[in-house]
Amino acid sequence: MPAQPHRSVSRRGFLAAGAAAGAALGLPPVPARAAPRPRPFGRYGSPAARRDPRTLYVHPGGAGDVTTVQDAVAAANGPGHTLVIAPGVYRQTVSVDPARTGMTWIGASEDPRDVVIVYDNAAGTPKPGGGTYGTSGSATATVQADGFTARWITFANDWLRADHPGVSGTQAVALKVQGDRSAFHHCRFLGHQDTLYADSPAVGTFARQYFAHCYAEGDVDFVFGRATAVFERCHFRTLTRTDLSGAPYGFVFAPSTAGANPFGHLVTRSRVSSEAPDGFYKMARPWVPSSDPTARPMLTVRDTWLGPGIDAVAPYADMRESHPWQSMRFAEYRNTGPGAEVTVPANRPRLTPGQARSATRAAHLGDWKPWREDC
């Protein structure tokens, strides 16, 4: 996504697995424990009681097969492996290449606050061999394989603009996912700019992705990309920007759907809340990347509560004047909340009931039904 001017934001506490983070995600409080968990892998076995030969156990203290998630990925040769990840903060980058299909990651405690995969690269971060990482290279976790599933995991990028005043490339991705049939249940995605990159391997490849009961937060274009992505019962939270004196602070969505793809991003039965003042965020702007000038970004938000942080008068904006949002495929249907109030009808494109019957998870995902695998 385009670089933004330097911002003097300082917010590193969003990684804490505390009461505030849990409340934002709608999770019940976790009772205090007097001693470490005697079973770090919960109900998912252990190296001594392995569920099956394709299950690997990750534990930062050495009680598993390996101590890092990337080491487990490297050890999972071939398709169909499961990684059971013990509670801990795993400060590393992780990459799942296209050959490791059908992989599943499970947060062993079944609480996404307990298993955090985090790093702090940004697009403008210098690489050891020269140059910078760029937006894609900044990702804490990159998933290229088809058939990937994650449950109860936090993906985070805690790079902060305030710590790097000389860096202009402020995009900092927590997760970039490109594979088809990629599902995320009860996961968190934490960052600031470009937090969750829902992408595909190529312009002509349509990758289907499903996010259920997930939480994502950020400020600039923090859910973006060209995937066919369904977000169901998710919570999106916009962050405050104490460095800025006025609106807009940023944009929740920035789809870049290929023009030939009939299905882009669908948000359904979800909610958008904010730390920021009322009306300081736009809901979306279209991203038409230089690599695909024929893109026609598509976003449908339906049956979703939009909080007062969304600018109800003008919820959409242009990223570039040459690609006005009105020429893209943006639509809403039966949304509620102060951010959904229709004050200027021309600024709120809405589906008819007939059109809404085609704006469903089943239509977007076809013969793949990942909601049947929910937890």
Side-chain angles (χ1 to χ4, degrees):
M1 307 298 297
Q4 297 292 310
H6 167 64
R7 313 298 190 192
S8 59
V9 174
S10 179
R11 176 182 165 85
R12 199 175 293 279
F14 67 94
L15 284 178
L25 186 53
L27 296 170
V30 177
R33 298 180 177 92
R37 290 185 178 90
R39 298 174 59 196
F41 303 108
R43 61 188 175 97
Y44 296 98
S46 68
R50 200 176 302 276
R51 300 179 80 190
D52 60 63
R54 290 184 177 271
T55 298
L56 295 170
Y57 295 89
V58 186
H59 188 282
D65 297 305
V66 293
T67 59
T68 74
V69 179
Q70 185 59 57
D71 284 347
V73 171
N77 293 316
H81 280 79
T82 296
L83 308 188
V84 179
I85 308 173
V89 175
Y90 298 84
R91 179 163 285 279
Q92 60 179 131
T93 59
V94 185
S95 181
V96 181
D97 63 65
R100 288 169 165 79
T101 58
M103 180 174 282
T104 297
W105 294 4
I106 297 174
S109 71
E110 302 184 18
D111 184 334
R113 296 170 292 184
D114 291 341
V115 177
V116 178
I117 303 170
V118 57
Y119 208 70
D120 60 349
N121 282 331
T125 300
K127 296 173 67 175
T132 57
Y133 282 99
T135 299
S136 292
S138 75
T140 296
T142 302
V143 178
Q144 297 177 305
D146 291 343
F148 180 86
T149 299
R151 295 187 175 95
W152 304 297
I153 306 286
T154 291
F155 300 87
N157 190 318
D158 63 354
W159 188 91
L160 294 176
R161 302 177 182 102
D163 294 345
H164 305 276
V167 175
S168 60
T170 57
Q171 303 89 341
V173 178
L175 172 71
K176 179 176 182 177
V177 54
Q178 296 178 287
D180 185 38
R181 294 174 288 105
S182 298
F184 298 82
H185 303 273
H186 306 278
C187 289
R188 298 194 303 166
F189 309 96
L190 309 181
H192 287 272
Q193 183 175 349
D194 290 10
T195 304
L196 174 55
Y197 194 171
D199 197 28
S200 74
V203 170
T205 303
F206 304 158
R208 296 165 295 173
Q209 297 162 11
Y210 180 69
F211 301 81
H213 305 281
C214 289
Y215 172 84
E217 70 179 26
D219 47 40
V220 178
D221 306 329
F222 65 92
V223 179
F224 72 112
R226 66 171 171 241
T228 294
V230 173
F231 301 88
E232 185 169 32
R233 298 191 184 280
C234 292
H235 181 183
F236 306 92
R237 186 161 179 82
T238 59
L239 303 179
T240 193
R241 301 287 298 275
T242 55
D243 55 309
L244 297 181
S245 59
Y249 279 178
F251 314 85
V252 181
F253 303 100
S256 57
T257 321
N261 190 348
F263 300 108
H265 290 187
L266 170 66
V267 180
T268 179
R269 296 188 289 178
S270 296
R271 62 191 298 250
V272 180
S273 68
S274 183
E275 293 182 353
D278 292 357
F280 269 50
Y281 271 87
K282 305 291 186 181
M283 188 152 66
R285 62 179 180 172
W287 178 30
V288 179
S290 58
S291 60
D292 183 18
T294 64
R296 280 196 70 214
M298 181 179 187
L299 169 70
T300 301
V301 181
R302 60 171 300 169
D303 302 298
T304 290
W305 184 84
L306 305 179
I310 296 298
D311 179 359
V313 175
Y316 304 102
D318 300 337
M319 187 175 291
R320 298 181 180 89
E321 290 184 1
S322 55
H323 302 290
W325 72 263
Q326 293 90 341
S327 66
M328 304 304 168
R329 294 175 285 177
F330 287 177
E332 302 177 50
Y333 184 68
R334 287 194 319 202
N335 295 322
T336 58
E341 182 180 354
V342 179
T343 57
V344 181
N347 290 343
R348 307 300 296 250
R350 284 165 288 172
L351 300 177
T352 66
Q355 291 170 329
R357 285 193 284 273
S358 298
T360 63
R361 64 186 184 182
H364 276 65
L365 302 180
D367 59 356
W368 179 48
K369 296 177 172 57
W371 53 88
R372 295 181 177 176
E373 304 168 5
D374 201 358
C375 308

